[in-house]
Each structure stands twice: as C-alpha cells, then as structure tokens.
Amino acid sequence: MTTRNHTSPEDLRCRAVDLLPANDLLALFLLPLFLLATPGLSQVPAGPDDARLTHVEPNADPARRARRAATAYSETQDLFLVAWIADDAAFGLVDNEQEVFVAIVDSVDSTVLSPVLQVSSVGPIGDPMRAAFEVDVAWGALDDTFLVVWDADDAEFGLESNQTEVFARRVQWTPGGGWTTTPTVKLSSSAGMPPDTDRSAAQPTVAWGDDQNEWLVVWTSDNKNAALSPDEFELFARRVSSGGFAVGPDARITTLGIPGDPQSASFNPRLAYEMVSDRFFVVWRADNVGPGWVDGHYEVHGKSVAASNLADLGPTIQISAVGSTLDASFDARAPSVAISEASGAIVVVWNGNFESGAIHPDKQDIWGVALDSDGSPLGGQVRIGQMGDALDPETGGFSARVSWTPQGDQFLIAWHGNDEAFVPDGPLLVDQEIWSRSIRISAESAVGPLIRISNMGGTSPFPASFDASDAAIATGSEGRLLVVWQGDDDEDGLVDDETEIFGELVRGNWIFVDGFESGSVAAWSP
C-alpha cells in the first residue's frame, strides 16, 4: 500500500415534456423546441466549479495524466470515493506505467479529504509495458467499504505484457484511521490450459447487492475455459464477498454471439442492482448476434441475473434499435444503466447514430429508453442529448452515464460532447465539455433541459484544445450528485493534453412547475 498526501485547491428546476418515440419524426423535431422553451434547470453547485481532484506529478507535463475516473458514495460516512488511472511520478512510476489510485472527496464542498492511495501494483516499478487500463468502484453497505476493480497485465500474477485479466481490491477509509485494504484478488482466468496468452479479460464493472451483502463484477472475455474462439467475446461475472474475496468460480452470463465466430462480440458491460427481487440488470453492446446481422453493427442488449447464483431471470432483450442490422455504419456504444429504488423503473442510455432522414447518419448523440421492472419498454427510444442540430454531425454526445436519485425519483445523465447553440451570444462552442439532463420515469415521464457541467479552458472564447471527457456519476444524500471526469484545463499550471480528474457536486430540488406537478398528463404533450 502506497500513500501520499495530496491536497485539492479549490434547485434543480425543470419543466418537463413527454418521452417521445424515436421513430416519430415530428417528435424528433418538437422535443428540442420544448426543451429550449422550458425554464432553466437551476443547478446549484455544492462545491467549486471544476474542482481539481488529482495532482499527477510532475505538473505541466502532458505526458503524465490521470484518466478513466469512477466514483461511488458511502451512505455511512456521507463521503465519495473517486478512482482513476495515472502514471504518477510521485509514486515512482515512469511515463505510461499506469496504476489505479483512489481518494476520498467531501460531499459538501468536493475537497479531497484523504491521502491518495495506490490500489494496484501491476509492476515491476519502472516498467512502462505494464499498465492498468479500466477502473470501476462500488460501495458496500455491510462494512462501509469500497470494491475497486480494474483490468491489467499484472506481472505479479504471471501475466505476459498485454495479457489482461480482471482484478479487485477492497479498500476502506476511516477518518483518523486512514486507509485499510485487503489483498488484490484475481477474478478472471481467460488463458485456459495450456495457457493462451492472446486471450484476455477486460472492461470490468461492479455493483453491490444488498440482500446477499456481496458485490458482482462483470467483464468481457474470449475465455478459453468457456470454449470460446480467440476474439469471440462474451460476458462473465463473479461474486465478491463483503470481505473482498471471490465467491465461487467465474460464470459466463451471455450466449449472444454465433458459437465459434470471432466476429461475434459483447463489450462494455454495465450493471445495476434491484433489491426487491434481489437481481442485477446487466447491459452491454453486441454485434453479429445471429443471422441477419453484419459484423460491426452494435446494439445495446440487457438481461437480469439472480444475485444469489447468477442464474438467468429472463431472456436477453435487445434494448436499442439504431438502424438496420445489415448496416455496420449504424451502431450503439457505451451503454449505462440505473434502477429506481422507488418504482423499479430501469433507464438505459447509450451514444450512437440513428438511421432516420431527420438525423444526419454520422451524428453521434445520447439516446435512452425506459423499461419497467421486468424489462418491458415503457416507451420508445429518446434522443436525450439534443446536442446541436440533428443534421449537424460536427456536434454530438458520447459516453453517457446515468445515476438514480431519490430526490423526486429522478435520473441524472451525464456525458461529454459539444453543442454550438448553448451560448446564444457567444462564439461557437467547439471544445468537448460535460453535459447533463434529468429524467423522471413515472406516470408522466419527463426530460429536463440541457445543463453544462464542466468549463475546461475558461469561457469566451472556447478553446478547442481544452476538453472534458468520460464522465462518471454517483448519487449522495440530500439530492447531491458528484459528477467526475478527465479533462485538460488552462488553470493551476496545467498545459494542453495534461489531463487530470475534475469533479462538480450538483444539488437540486427537482421541482416541476407551471401545472406539470398536478398529476395530470394534459400539459405534457404538444
């Protein structure tokens, strides 16, 4: 365990409109008009704007970066944990030698409260050919601990360079007591026997299940032990105890591709827990899932698995429909999912283009769909992002994340992208920033106005060389949500391409006004 003291510097009001089917062309044109006509969603930051959470050394060196932020919230301590990957010279690392780090962030003013903890040791130290790549984190309620998961080609576990497997480590922060950890656990074993070092496990994601008092970790792999061909990727899962140790073997949880076909692939899993039925709902993107599909056409799929034994609780469902399955130029990417603890409603979001004469075929934007607790659609696909004109492929949204908040039974969606119309009296907004919208799924489903979260590189003029990307969200108490991202800013001695992790606390009242709170749906339609 390596620690080092780093210090940090430094009522949502919404009028709503109906969720509209994506295949309704009139709706696609009317939705942005309704969003622009609504009163502003009054965002009240609970901490400083663009709070810098990481300080990778040396400063002003664009070759040293923090990236891939993830975050989770401790209900017990009312604190957030933020995780990231970096090649931080302060920990003896060389350029491109990326390890996983975490720190505790205050839920009131977003200051960093703890020393930075190096969680992984892919090693040996000084080897730039070894690295951690993706990271995720979830809080465990039983012992007030966090499970950090990542993929890496860890030499300490006998892996070859670029032979990635999935790892986990439980960490705990106690004010006055500091960090405590359990040993790193290797969760995946994709190489088989005899070992095939070209096999890999990657893209881990994690969530906590209250009934079993366990975490579930899901990843993608062309696991030789599961009789998959090289590059034939399916999803696997493994339970992890509250003590941070693996429970049972890893299990294959998807069979979506054509058996033996290396062009069949399931990628980018995310999951959320639903306590009433003690299950996880898993979403991912997949291509070439059967006859009538071409390689490269990805759609979002989902399924429920039992938290107790990972048994299927229903069929795999196709969630997105972005275009013809015979056309690889249309695809859905980077799905995310959250579940309402109040109603059981499920919101799935992704970015992608869409086959429609009303939208440019190359335009990437944020889309979403609402499902009821059994996975049945509650409506059609919705273009949530509304980033720029529908016929302008130069604007768009990417890599959405969604989190549920009990404050008004709402979902907050955050993503990165650019929108030229956001500042009507200013110049063209050409840099990438973090944006958000709220969604309410109830008898009167609703979408809130577009809110800009980040401000990399200052305001007018908007420098395209300073960007924000890869947002993550966690819900705290009293309507607070922490949005974190990687970005390069022009303040605090940073230079272009020197990415650090930033965050902003968002808090609001989520009040619906002008007759929309009456319970009647009469005011919700054009």
Side-chain angles (χ1 to χ4, degrees), residues 12 23 54 57 86 132 186 223 236 303 348 350 365 372 393 407 418 431 485 502 509 513:
L12 295 180
N23 57 4
T54 63
E57 295 186 6
K186 180 171 172 281
N223 192 334
F236 293 78
K303 69 181 302 183
V348 182
W350 65 91
D365 213 336
D372 66 15
Q407 191 90 351
N418 59 332
D431 64 340
W485 64 90
F502 296 83
N509 293 329
V513 296

Side-chain angles (χ1 to χ4, degrees), residues 11-14 39-43 436-438 448-451 510:
D11 315 293
L12 295 180
R13 184 176 177 85
C14 171
L41 190 62
S42 178
Q43 177 180 297
S436 70
R437 283 195 198 276
S438 61
L450 180 66
I451 297 295
W510 307 88

Side-chain angles (χ1 to χ4, degrees), residues 197-214:
T197 57
D198 289 331
R199 304 300 184 107
S200 63
Q203 301 175 345
T205 186
V206 59
W208 171 261
D210 287 296
D211 276 11
Q212 305 299 318
N213 285 317
E214 294 175 344

Side-chain angles (χ1 to χ4, degrees), residues 333 350-354 359-367 383-400 413-422 428-437 450-452 454 467-470:
R333 308 173 184 177
W350 65 91
N351 73 273
N353 53 354
F354 185 75
I359 301 176
H360 194 285
D362 295 330
K363 184 179 184 68
Q364 291 286 321
D365 213 336
I366 306 304
W367 295 81
R383 184 180 159 216
I384 295 170
Q386 298 289 329
M387 301 297 288
D389 188 274
L391 296 176
D392 180 9
E394 299 302 317
T395 55
F398 305 88
S399 298
I413 302 158
W415 66 91
H416 72 264
N418 59 332
D419 177 23
E420 83 283 1
F422 190 73
L428 179 69
L429 182 56
V430 293
D431 64 340
Q432 287 189 155
E433 298 288 356
I434 305 301
W435 309 82
S436 70
R437 283 195 198 276
L450 180 66
I451 297 295
R452 180 178 171 184
S454 69
D467 295 313
S469 64
D470 298 312

Side-chain angles (χ1 to χ4, degrees), residues 22-147:
N23 57 4
D24 184 337
L25 299 187
L26 177 62
L28 288 172
F29 286 114
L30 288 176
L31 182 56
L33 297 178
F34 269 78
L35 292 172
L36 290 174
T38 61
L41 190 62
S42 178
Q43 177 180 297
V44 182
D49 292 342
D50 298 345
R52 182 177 171 183
L53 304 180
T54 63
H55 292 76
V56 174
E57 295 186 6
N59 206 36
D61 183 352
R64 303 297 188 129
R65 303 175 180 178
R67 51 188 288 275
R68 299 294 189 194
T71 185
Y73 174 72
S74 165
E75 296 178 12
T76 302
Q77 297 190 61
D78 189 23
L79 298 170
F80 292 94
L81 181 140
V82 177
W84 65 92
I85 292 173
D87 51 357
D88 196 334
F91 291 82
L93 305 179
V94 299
D95 185 23
N96 289 323
E97 183 186 2
Q98 300 176 121
E99 299 284 3
V100 176
F101 299 89
V102 297
I104 294 296
V105 173
D106 190 87
S107 65
V108 176
D109 60 10
S110 67
T111 57
V112 176
L113 299 177
S114 72
V116 171
L117 171 70
Q118 181 180 331
V119 177
S120 66
S121 297
V122 177
I125 290 180
D127 185 354
M129 302 304 295
R130 302 289 182 159
F133 299 100
E134 306 269 352
V135 64
D136 198 16
V137 61
W139 177 69
L142 182 64
D143 299 315
D144 186 30
T145 55
F146 297 89
L147 190 73

